[in-house]
Amino acid sequence: MSQSVFWRDPALPFVELRQVEDGRSLCYAPHSHLEWSMGAITRGESTFVLTDREHQVEAGTLVFINPDRMHVCNPIEGRPWAYLMLYLDAGWLAAQRFRLGLSASPDWHDLAPDVMRAPEVFNAFVGLAARLFDPGPPAAAKADALLDFLALLLPRLSTAEAPDVPANLEALADYLGGDQAAEDMSLEAMSRRAGVSPGHLIRRFKQHFGMTPHAYVINRRVQRGQRALRQGRAIVDAALDSGFADQPHFQRMFKRLLALTPRQYRRSSGPQQKDAAPGEQGRQAPVEPA
């Protein structure tokens, strides 16, 4: 198996899975995802940093990352390590928590803890990953396996307190995360919008979001490009539409944040046709609009 493999299915747009069997050469810059994600360290050990918290994780450990939370997970002095990473649409996952009676509403709420060591859940996750990568079962059977796993996992997770971010910085982040992510905006313009000096903005923004405003915009652009690639867009189109000046710049930033190239990301196991029929619906909950 190659160093990094993705599984996706157009019939199940709310889930994606990544497997890395040898992560010694993978190096991530601080970044965040739009999705809620969980990982399983299947071999070796690593350092996992989530916002301002650092954890040493080893084989058998599960890690959890809320949407838009800065994180990084890299090798320890080149030691071998391997992992699985599951990405779930946050709106879809919130609907599952509501369906299971674990939330009073289908709205998203951050989840805790950061890490977990629970052999039953770990083994179930590894089994789910094998099921998703298996080309035999239909999409409906894989959706049912995912829902069965979530019924085991989600009762063990609690609602986390939302970060306390100043209103002016929250508004700026929302603005930068919208269409503005595909446009250039100077630090001075960001500072005027937030009503603070450039130096103050950089310090406070990094304190609350784990990266500078400029890095935040680059992260958002990579997220937009990643979504475009999942939808089957050409790499050059994904680059330009997400705000990069050219394809090489997009490729450099994509690899810096996600530790693989856009072309490697586009290659995945599972059905590739964009308009694949969903088949039987099984016990799938309604899918949130993309």
Side-chain angles (χ1 to χ4, degrees), residues 64-264:
F64 306 98
I65 306 166
N66 286 303
D68 286 327
R69 299 292 172 259
M70 187 283 293
H71 62 280
V72 65
C73 197
N74 284 320
I76 298 177
E77 299 177 352
R79 300 177 195 174
W81 72 298
Y83 64 90
L84 295 162
M85 186 65 68
L86 184 74
Y87 305 91
L88 296 176
D89 178 84
W92 182 85
L93 183 60
Q96 305 315 307
R97 294 190 71 239
F98 180 67
R99 179 181 62 85
L100 292 170
L102 301 173
S103 176
S105 76
D107 299 325
W108 174 258
H109 298 283
D110 281 358
L111 300 175
D114 298 346
V115 300
M116 176 188 295
R117 293 170 178 83
E120 179 185 8
V121 179
F122 181 90
N123 292 334
F125 181 37
V126 172
L128 171 66
R131 182 75 164 170
L132 296 181
F133 274 117
D134 186 348
K142 295 185 177 187
D144 286 347
L146 173 60
L147 292 175
D148 286 341
F149 171 72
L150 292 177
L152 171 68
L153 169 68
L154 291 178
R156 300 169 182 251
L157 303 180
S158 60
T159 300
E161 185 175 346
D164 185 16
V165 180
N168 63 330
L169 298 186
E170 189 77 61
L172 177 62
D174 288 343
Y175 181 72
L176 296 177
D179 292 340
Q180 185 63 33
E183 302 174 9
D184 289 324
M185 187 178 189
S186 68
L187 177 60
E188 289 72 19
M190 294 181 193
S191 300
R192 288 194 298 271
R193 192 172 188 90
V196 296
S197 69
H200 182 82
L201 175 62
I202 290 175
R203 289 191 300 273
R204 295 284 285 168
F205 199 95
K206 188 171 184 179
Q207 175 187 345
H208 291 287
F209 294 99
M211 58 186 80
T212 66
H214 176 70
Y216 186 88
V217 171
I218 294 297
N219 186 76
R220 282 290 195 229
R221 288 177 179 177
V222 169
Q223 290 173 347
R224 289 166 69 111
Q226 190 177 10
R227 176 179 292 179
L229 294 175
R230 285 199 300 268
Q231 295 170 346
R233 301 292 303 280
I235 295 175
V236 63
D237 293 334
L240 297 177
D241 291 349
S242 56
F244 289 95
D246 51 44
Q247 182 174 331
H249 188 205
F250 173 56
Q251 292 181 162
R252 288 195 303 272
M253 294 299 100
F254 197 99
K255 187 171 183 178
R256 183 171 182 268
L257 269 60
L258 302 180
L260 78 168
T261 67
R263 188 174 302 278
Q264 289 170 329

